[in-house]
Amino acid sequence: MSFKDKIIKERLPNHLAIIMDGNGRWAKMRGEHRIIGHQNGVEAVRQTVEGAAELGISYLTLYAFSTENWNRPQDEILGLMSLLVEAIENETPTLMKNNVRLKAIGDLESLPEEVREKLQGTIDNTAKNTGLTLVLALSYSSRWEIMNAVGKIAEKVHSGDLAPEDVNESIFESHLTTSGIPDPELMIRTSGENRISNFLLWQLAYSELYFTDLFWPDFTKEELYKALLNYQSRERRFGKTSEQLNDN
Ligand code: IPE
Ligand code: IPE
Ligand code: MG
């Protein structure tokens, strides 16, 4: 029996976020260049997107490139950017077939023009799809996003369009790049690192966190099901007591 058969459909996360980590180490273990790891990570993306779409999950956010990743060696950055262009191009038919809508969050203006164009093309082409929303976090960091929101709110207060006393959680959230996307119920990170690395700091406030030692290229649909089952075994208390939850 596959893990899939044990999943309770009614208790799936509405939004799943993933830090896809460990491509470099996966390649190194095989005596290969880091970029080979990134190339093999694309298959794991395919499996995860398909798996999430088949299960009926509404949102899947994948951390693909962080603001801090711009500090990597130039050849790796270039390799990642061309892989991105290639993957967006090659995967568009699969996104269409699976009724997936593509979105992107992050400082997209800092991406090379070719990446931005391809990305926008696929965002436009998939805009009418009604299944899974796939959110790519590109040149993303949560502190960048939060400071960006704070700046926009400050401008509105300064110009008189917004009163300081009206600034609340929902106004703040509407200025984040994730505006309109619900908070993730579950966040998965591969590669054995137990940290958040500047990913969705605000949005993960009450998310369940799941860490696996697998390197990202080894992540499969079956591993996705395993993580979802683990999530379903947890009690989400949101500050309440277990008794309060069970009485209701
Ligand atoms: C994740 O894998 C992909 C990106 C950050 C772009 P890494 O490239 O970080 O792989 P490790 O962590 O060095 O093994
Ligand atoms: C986090 O991975 C960013 C992405 C997966 C895109 P990193 O490999 O960059 O994270 P750190 O630097 O090890 O925390
Ligand atoms: Mg890493």
Side-chain angles (χ1 to χ4, degrees), residues 19-21 63-66 69 72 189 195 197:
I19 301 180
M20 312 184 287
D21 197 19
Y63 203 5
F65 194 84
S66 74
N69 289 149
R72 291 200 176 186
R189 182 174 188 148
R195 56 175 174 263
S197 302

Short mmCIF file of all heavy atoms in Angstrom, two decimals, residues 19-21 63-66 69 72 189 195 197, ligand 2:
data_model
loop_
_atom_site.label_atom_id
_atom_site.label_comp_id
_atom_site.label_asym_id
_atom_site.label_seq_id
_atom_site.Cartn_x
_atom_site.Cartn_y
_atom_site.Cartn_z
N ILE A 19 11.33 24.36 0.75
CA ILE A 19 12.70 24.83 0.52
C ILE A 19 13.44 23.66 -0.12
O ILE A 19 13.74 22.65 0.53
CB ILE A 19 13.39 25.25 1.84
CG1 ILE A 19 12.60 26.37 2.53
CG2 ILE A 19 14.84 25.69 1.55
CD1 ILE A 19 13.21 26.85 3.86
N MET A 20 13.69 23.79 -1.42
CA MET A 20 14.30 22.70 -2.18
C MET A 20 15.82 22.79 -2.01
O MET A 20 16.48 23.50 -2.76
CB MET A 20 13.94 22.85 -3.66
CG MET A 20 12.46 23.11 -3.92
SD MET A 20 12.07 23.18 -5.68
CE MET A 20 12.76 24.76 -6.18
N ASP A 21 16.35 22.07 -1.05
CA ASP A 21 17.78 22.23 -0.73
C ASP A 21 18.55 20.93 -0.91
O ASP A 21 18.00 19.84 -0.76
CB ASP A 21 17.91 22.75 0.72
CG ASP A 21 19.28 23.32 0.99
OD1 ASP A 21 20.00 23.65 0.03
OD2 ASP A 21 19.65 23.44 2.18
N TYR A 63 10.76 27.43 -3.13
CA TYR A 63 11.87 28.38 -2.98
C TYR A 63 12.95 27.95 -3.96
O TYR A 63 13.63 26.94 -3.76
CB TYR A 63 12.38 28.29 -1.54
CG TYR A 63 13.12 29.50 -1.00
CD1 TYR A 63 13.25 30.68 -1.72
CD2 TYR A 63 13.68 29.44 0.28
CE1 TYR A 63 13.91 31.78 -1.18
CE2 TYR A 63 14.34 30.54 0.82
CZ TYR A 63 14.46 31.70 0.10
OH TYR A 63 15.11 32.78 0.63
N ALA A 64 13.09 28.70 -5.04
CA ALA A 64 14.00 28.29 -6.12
C ALA A 64 15.31 29.07 -6.12
O ALA A 64 16.34 28.56 -6.55
CB ALA A 64 13.31 28.45 -7.47
N PHE A 65 15.25 30.34 -5.67
CA PHE A 65 16.47 31.16 -5.66
C PHE A 65 16.28 32.29 -4.66
O PHE A 65 15.31 33.05 -4.75
CB PHE A 65 16.71 31.73 -7.07
CG PHE A 65 18.08 32.31 -7.27
CD1 PHE A 65 19.16 31.50 -7.59
CD2 PHE A 65 18.30 33.68 -7.12
CE1 PHE A 65 20.43 32.04 -7.78
CE2 PHE A 65 19.57 34.22 -7.29
CZ PHE A 65 20.64 33.39 -7.62
N SER A 66 17.19 32.40 -3.71
CA SER A 66 17.04 33.41 -2.66
C SER A 66 17.84 34.66 -3.00
O SER A 66 18.76 34.62 -3.84
CB SER A 66 17.50 32.86 -1.31
OG SER A 66 18.92 32.78 -1.27
N ASN A 69 21.33 33.96 -2.60
CA ASN A 69 21.96 33.11 -3.61
C ASN A 69 22.70 33.92 -4.68
O ASN A 69 23.53 33.38 -5.41
CB ASN A 69 20.95 32.17 -4.27
CG ASN A 69 20.46 31.05 -3.36
OD1 ASN A 69 19.32 30.59 -3.47
ND2 ASN A 69 21.29 30.59 -2.43
N ARG A 72 26.49 33.60 -4.74
CA ARG A 72 27.18 32.38 -5.17
C ARG A 72 28.14 32.68 -6.33
O ARG A 72 28.06 33.74 -6.94
CB ARG A 72 26.14 31.34 -5.62
CG ARG A 72 25.35 30.84 -4.42
CD ARG A 72 24.70 29.53 -4.71
NE ARG A 72 24.03 29.06 -3.50
CZ ARG A 72 23.45 27.89 -3.38
NH1 ARG A 72 23.43 27.06 -4.41
NH2 ARG A 72 22.89 27.53 -2.25
N ARG A 189 11.44 21.18 4.25
CA ARG A 189 12.80 21.47 3.77
C ARG A 189 13.58 20.18 3.64
O ARG A 189 13.60 19.36 4.56
CB ARG A 189 13.55 22.41 4.74
CG ARG A 189 14.95 22.74 4.18
CD ARG A 189 15.71 23.76 4.98
NE ARG A 189 16.93 24.15 4.27
CZ ARG A 189 17.49 25.33 4.31
NH1 ARG A 189 16.99 26.27 5.07
NH2 ARG A 189 18.59 25.59 3.63
N ARG A 195 16.64 24.90 9.12
CA ARG A 195 16.48 26.34 9.23
C ARG A 195 15.56 26.88 8.13
O ARG A 195 15.22 26.17 7.19
CB ARG A 195 17.84 27.04 9.20
CG ARG A 195 18.69 26.72 8.00
CD ARG A 195 20.00 27.53 7.96
NE ARG A 195 20.84 27.11 6.87
CZ ARG A 195 21.86 26.25 6.98
NH1 ARG A 195 22.17 25.73 8.15
NH2 ARG A 195 22.57 25.90 5.92
N SER A 197 16.10 29.99 6.48
CA SER A 197 16.86 30.71 5.43
C SER A 197 16.07 31.84 4.75
O SER A 197 16.00 31.90 3.51
CB SER A 197 17.38 29.73 4.38
OG SER A 197 18.20 28.75 4.97
C1 IPE B 2 17.78 28.18 0.57
O1 IPE B 2 18.84 27.32 0.31
C2 IPE B 2 17.35 28.84 -0.69
C3 IPE B 2 16.76 27.96 -1.69
C4 IPE B 2 16.48 26.68 -1.58
C5 IPE B 2 16.45 28.60 -2.93
P1 IPE B 2 20.35 27.73 0.61
O2 IPE B 2 21.18 26.55 0.33
O3 IPE B 2 20.68 28.97 -0.12
O4 IPE B 2 20.29 28.05 2.17
P2 IPE B 2 21.44 28.20 3.25
O5 IPE B 2 22.32 29.29 2.78
O6 IPE B 2 22.16 26.91 3.35
O7 IPE B 2 20.72 28.51 4.52
#
